[in-house]
């Protein structure tokens, strides 16, 4: 009876096992198909994403190189428009003057990256050119029809990429008007060609080109693509471009591009090859209406990405299949063992009881660890509170040190005025005493203002700004240093400053900046017999730059690395706060403090915003 029952259970288990393996095989097949399909999509997407990042990086590098090439010749027309020889050649009828200008332009173009430099009079006629010796000389040609001439006559400057009407070579024409807008004398033009740049692009073996606002290819690594378009041109734009002869007789046909799904994927036909898929990466060219485009082949990368993704998927499926088969086989074996051997239950119950005891012990250990963890957390909180209190005390110490450093100069000056007053009283001269007392009162107000400003600095605050004359700031700083450096201020050489030169800031706080800089510079040269501190001022665009330069030993690299950090100083009694405070003051008013040092000494430059008139 027991044998028959066992045989029946074994038969039922065998049938159930066969059904389970059949379901397992079908599920594995469906999972494999879905996984391979998904892996292909993921691999393709990942490969395209990687190509996009690489393409953007390479495109940005090429755009940076293009911008560097563009910027070099742009200053030539601007400078030549102010050259007296150019104006004399346009206003005078002397052929010798124009011949002299021809030779001058010829010498100038040899030392620049420009292809040709030429001068056009107000009627559009070229009167002088750097290629005056060549058969294709521009001299005598009329450029009245060129946009770079007419636009420069109207607006002052112009740029146009076009095919040369004489040289038949493409290039960028950069022009600048000569003379005022009311009575222009003509235009000076520098033509720039990009042959070297295109050769560099050709070495990458990937199509690279620049298009203008009308999608016309201007600069390209594939010469046959020049003056073709990446997008269809409207008929009116096509007619206007052909009539202007900007690109000569170029047909302006559309490039053999065809979109391939995504917006940045195209199929293109390269000269001498078949159609291939490319990833088109675009980047704007700053300061121009141009756009740089870069074609990255995708077929090989996509195939490799899909292959790697599918291989990883197959490996994962294999691992999952093996694990699932082992699990299923073990489950079936466990069921069969349970059905054939009732004694296994008793063994299982015994093991469960043993496991329960182990879990109880583990629970007790875990509770003990939790108690230890809570005690540790309590101690950690106490340590954190101690650290917070220590940090507060450190901040109070820094503020106290800052106050002591900043009021040192006014206190020294007060002491000097007080000593002078004693001398004047002894000599029965009350007038200087009264004047000194007034100055002492002003300096006490200054100390109060410094403490208020340092409080604001601790709160990350900022004093109100106003237009202040720079000369008054420098004079105030020198006045406060007079007592400290008696007999040595002759080493401080201040260049004449223009009157009415105002900067934005607070006079008192900016005086603190120059006091620190003057004092540091004078102390740096005090041991040199020929010590000298030069102070000069220059106006650069919307900034006023004050330079304090000394011929001392300079700043050591160890100090320079953390020059603007608190308590960093090379002086025995210094606090290391002067330059930190000075930098923060200048930054509060939108400026910056820079330093240079070498064997000739140190140079500090204070950049301040110029006040609007």
């Amino acid at each position: 009876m027991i044998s028959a029952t066992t045989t029946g259970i074994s038969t039922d288990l065998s049938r159930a096992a066969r059904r389970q393996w059949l379901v397992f095989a079908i599920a594995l097949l469906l999972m494999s198909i879905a996984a391979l399909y998904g892996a292909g999509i993921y691999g393709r997407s990942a490969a395209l994403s990687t190509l996009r990042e690489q393409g953007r990086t390479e495109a940005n590098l090429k755009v940076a190189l293009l911008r560097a090439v563009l910027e070099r010749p742009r200053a030539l027309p601007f400078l030549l428009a102010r050259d007296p020889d150019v104006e004399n050649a346009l206003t005078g009828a002397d052929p010798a003057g124009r011949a002299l200008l021809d030779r001058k332009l010829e010498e100038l173009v040899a030392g620049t990256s420009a292809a040709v430099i030429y001068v056009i009079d107000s009627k559009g006629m070229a009167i002088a050119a750097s290629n005056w010796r060549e058969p294709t000389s521009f001299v005598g040609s009329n450029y009245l029809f060129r946009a770079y001439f007419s636009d420069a006559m109207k607006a002052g400057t112009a740029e146009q990429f076009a095919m040369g009407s004489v040289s038949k070579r493409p290039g960028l024409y950069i022009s600048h008007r000569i003379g005022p807008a009311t009575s222009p004398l003509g235009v000076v033009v520098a033509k720039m060609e990009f042959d070297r740049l295109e050769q560099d692009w050709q070495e990458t073996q990937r199509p690279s080109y620049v298009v203008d606002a009308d999608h016309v290819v201007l600069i390209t690594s594939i010469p046959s693509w020049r003056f073709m378009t990446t997008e269809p041109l409207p008929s009116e734009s096509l007619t206007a471009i052909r009539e202007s002869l900007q690109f000569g007789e170029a047909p302006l046909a559309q490039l053999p591009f065809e979109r391939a799904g995504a917006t940045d994927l195209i199929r293109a036909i390269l000269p001498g090859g078949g159609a291939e898929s490319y990833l088109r990466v675009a980047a704007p060219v700053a300061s121009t209406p141009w756009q740089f485009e870069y074609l990255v082949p995708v077929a090989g990368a996509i195939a490799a990405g899909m292959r790697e993704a599918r291989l990883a998927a197959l490996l994962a499926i294999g691992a999952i299949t093996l694990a699932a088969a082992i699990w299923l086989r073990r489950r079936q074996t466990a069921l069969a063992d349970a059905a054939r051997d009732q004694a296994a239950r008793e063994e299982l119950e015994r093991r469960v009881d043993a496991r329960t005891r182990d879990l109880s012990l583990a629970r007790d250990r875990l509770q003990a660890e939790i108690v230890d963890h809570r005690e540790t957390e309590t101690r950690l909180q106490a340590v954190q509170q101690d650290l917070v209190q220590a940090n507060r005390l450190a901040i109070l110490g820094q503020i106290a040190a800052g106050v002591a450093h900043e009021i040192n100069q006014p206190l020294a000056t007060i002491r000097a005025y007080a000593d002078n007053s004693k001398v004047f009283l002894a000599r029965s001269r009350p007038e200087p005493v009264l004047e000194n007392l007034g100055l002492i009162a002003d300096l006490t107000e200054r100390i109060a203002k410094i403490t208020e400003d340092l409080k604001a600095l601790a709160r990350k605050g900022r004093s109100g700004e106003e237009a202040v004359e720079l000369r008054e700031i420098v004079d105030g700083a020198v006045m406060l240093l007079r007592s400290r450096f008696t007999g040595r201020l002759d080493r401080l050489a201040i260049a004449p400053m223009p009157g009415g030169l105002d900067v934005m800031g607070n006079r008192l706080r900016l005086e603190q900046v120059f006091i620190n800089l003057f004092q540091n510079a004078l102390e740096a040269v005090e041991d040199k017999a020929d010590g000298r501190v030069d102070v000069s001022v220059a106006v650069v665009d919307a900034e006023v730059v004050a330079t304090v330069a000394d011929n001392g030993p300079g700043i050591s690299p160890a100090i320079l690395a953390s020059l603007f950090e608190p308590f960093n100083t090379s002086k025995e009694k210094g606090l290391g706060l002067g330059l930190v405070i000075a930098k923060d003051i200048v930054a509060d008013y939108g400026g910056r403090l820079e330093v240079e040092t070498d064997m000739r000494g140190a140079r500090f430059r204070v950049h301040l915003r110029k006040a609007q008139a």
Side-chain angles (χ1 to χ4, degrees):
M1 186 69 173
I2 296 174
S3 178
T5 302
T6 303
T7 302
I9 292 173
S10 298
T11 301
D12 293 339
L13 289 175
S14 297
R15 292 174 182 173
R18 285 194 294 271
R19 287 194 299 269
Q20 290 173 353
W21 285 112
L22 179 61
V23 171
F24 178 77
I26 295 173
L28 177 62
L29 178 61
L30 295 176
M31 184 179 67
S32 300
I33 294 173
L36 291 176
Y37 179 75
I41 295 176
Y42 171 79
R44 186 177 189 275
S45 176
L48 288 176
S49 179
T50 301
L51 286 177
R52 285 190 183 94
E53 292 300 323
Q54 294 176 352
R56 289 192 190 98
T57 301
E58 295 175 3
N60 289 335
L61 291 174
K62 292 180 182 295
V63 168
L65 178 60
L66 175 60
R67 287 187 60 190
V69 173
L70 284 173
E71 290 301 326
R72 282 182 298 198
R74 278 181 168 166
L76 286 175
F78 173 79
L79 297 175
L80 288 173
R82 288 157 176 77
D83 193 315
D85 292 340
V86 176
E87 293 186 2
N88 292 338
L90 288 169
T91 56
D94 185 9
R98 296 187 177 182
L100 176 64
L101 181 58
D102 282 333
R103 290 190 294 273
K104 184 173 186 177
L105 296 179
E106 183 180 30
E107 294 175 357
L108 184 59
V109 80
T112 66
S113 59
V116 184
I117 305 174
Y118 53 105
V119 177
I120 306 173
D121 63 16
S122 59
K123 296 180 181 179
M125 188 67 68
I127 65 165
S130 60
N131 61 355
W132 63 280
R133 299 178 186 271
E134 302 174 9
T136 58
S137 171
F138 292 179
V139 177
S141 299
N142 191 287
Y143 296 97
L144 189 63
F145 67 97
R146 285 297 196 188
Y148 62 77
F149 172 77
S150 57
D151 291 346
M153 290 289 283
K154 295 176 183 177
T157 61
E159 292 185 5
Q160 183 187 25
F161 195 99
M163 173 70 77
S165 59
V166 175
S167 64
K168 303 303 180 184
R169 293 180 58 82
L172 177 64
Y173 295 82
I174 306 170
S175 58
H176 197 285
R177 184 181 61 220
I178 305 168
T182 54
S183 56
L185 300 176
V187 170
V188 61
V189 184
K191 181 183 179 183
M192 181 180 179
E193 297 178 357
F194 300 90
D195 295 346
R196 178 62 180 274
L197 182 65
E198 291 178 336
Q199 290 176 2
D200 293 340
W201 288 356
Q202 290 173 3
E203 293 176 359
T204 64
Q205 302 296 319
R206 292 182 176 179
S208 307
Y209 55 92
V210 173
V211 297
D212 62 9
D214 293 321
H215 305 286
V216 178
V217 176
L218 305 179
I219 308 168
T220 174
S221 61
I222 302 177
S224 62
W225 284 9
R226 195 186 317 280
F227 300 148
M228 297 183 74
T229 66
T230 59
E231 301 289 343
L233 277 176
S235 57
E236 58 273 12
S237 299
L238 182 61
T239 302
I241 292 174
R242 286 178 174 170
E243 289 178 352
S244 68
L245 298 178
Q246 180 181 359
F247 304 122
E249 298 179 356
L252 300 175
Q254 187 176 354
L255 284 171
F257 287 176
E258 179 183 349
R259 295 195 184 279
T263 55
D264 55 355
L265 285 178
I266 63 171
R267 286 187 64 79
I269 301 176
L270 299 185
E276 291 187 32
S277 295
Y278 292 90
L279 179 68
R280 179 160 60 179
V281 180
V285 182
S287 74
T288 72
W290 299 349
Q291 177 172 276
F292 175 79
E293 295 187 1
Y294 188 50
L295 300 187
V296 182
V298 299
I302 289 177
M306 294 176 66
R307 183 170 57 251
E308 292 175 0
R310 285 172 175 167
L311 178 60
L314 286 174
L315 292 175
I317 291 171
I320 293 172
T321 301
L322 179 61
I326 292 173
W327 174 82
L328 183 59
R329 179 59 182 169
R330 286 181 177 179
R331 181 175 181 275
Q332 292 173 351
T333 302
L335 291 174
D337 291 343
R340 286 191 299 264
D341 193 0
Q342 185 66 27
R345 292 183 181 179
E346 296 176 0
E347 179 66 19
L348 180 60
E349 290 176 358
R350 186 187 65 79
R351 292 180 180 179
V352 168
D353 291 338
R355 184 59 176 167
T356 301
R357 288 194 298 271
D358 293 341
L359 290 175
S360 297
L361 294 174
R363 181 197 60 194
D364 295 338
R365 288 195 298 271
L366 180 60
Q367 288 179 345
E369 291 177 359
I370 290 174
V371 172
D372 292 341
H373 176 72
R374 288 175 178 172
E375 293 177 354
T376 302
E377 185 177 358
T378 301
R379 290 194 296 271
L380 178 61
Q381 289 177 351
V383 172
Q384 287 176 341
Q385 291 176 356
D386 292 342
L387 289 176
V388 170
Q389 181 63 21
N391 185 52
R392 290 174 180 170
L393 293 175
I395 292 173
L396 289 175
Q398 291 182 9
I399 293 176
V403 171
H405 183 275
E406 287 303 312
I407 66 176
N408 183 54
Q409 286 298 338
L411 285 176
T413 307
I414 289 174
R415 175 62 183 271
Y417 283 136
D419 292 341
N420 290 341
S421 298
K422 290 180 181 179
V423 175
F424 286 129
L425 284 175
R427 296 178 181 177
S428 300
R429 295 178 59 187
E431 293 81 3
V433 174
L434 293 175
E435 181 181 355
N436 287 350
L437 290 176
L439 293 172
I440 289 173
D442 292 340
L443 289 171
T444 58
E445 292 180 3
R446 178 183 182 88
I447 292 174
K449 181 65 176 174
I450 288 173
T451 57
E452 289 298 324
D453 285 346
L454 287 172
K455 290 177 183 178
L457 179 63
R459 296 190 301 267
K460 296 298 181 183
R462 171 180 172 178
S463 302
E465 63 180 19
E466 60 183 355
V468 186
E469 186 171 0
L470 183 59
R471 183 163 56 187
E472 293 181 357
I473 295 172
V474 174
D475 291 343
V478 173
M479 185 270 291
L480 290 173
L481 290 172
R482 186 168 288 114
S483 62
R484 167 70 172 81
F485 294 95
T486 302
R488 289 179 289 169
L489 279 181
D490 56 342
R491 296 188 174 193
L492 187 63
I494 302 177
M497 301 182 190
L501 181 58
D502 293 346
V503 297
M504 296 304 297
N506 176 274
R507 175 179 174 178
L508 182 60
R509 300 193 74 198
L510 293 179
E511 281 183 5
Q512 291 176 245
V513 174
F514 285 96
I515 286 173
N516 277 304
L517 296 180
F518 292 168
Q519 177 175 304
N520 290 343
L522 289 170
E523 290 176 349
V525 301
E526 62 183 357
D527 294 333
K528 295 189 64 173
D530 60 341
R532 179 180 177 88
V533 178
D534 293 307
V535 182
S536 60
V537 175
V539 179
V540 182
D541 297 331
E543 283 189 340
V544 176
V545 182
T547 303
V548 180
D550 64 68
N551 62 346
I555 304 171
S556 68
I559 297 296
L560 184 64
S562 54
L563 185 63
F564 295 107
E565 295 180 4
F567 308 109
N568 175 46
T569 180
S570 59
K571 304 175 185 177
E572 294 182 0
K573 298 182 179 180
L575 292 175
L577 292 172
L579 290 177
V580 178
I581 296 173
K583 183 178 180 182
D584 287 344
I585 291 173
V586 173
D588 277 348
Y589 300 116
R592 64 186 187 278
L593 180 60
E594 299 175 344
V595 61
E596 292 181 359
T597 183
D598 51 29
M599 299 298 294
R600 297 174 297 172
R603 293 168 294 284
F604 286 84
R605 293 187 177 88
V606 183
H607 295 255
L608 297 171
R609 290 186 296 126
K610 182 181 178 184
Q612 299 297 326

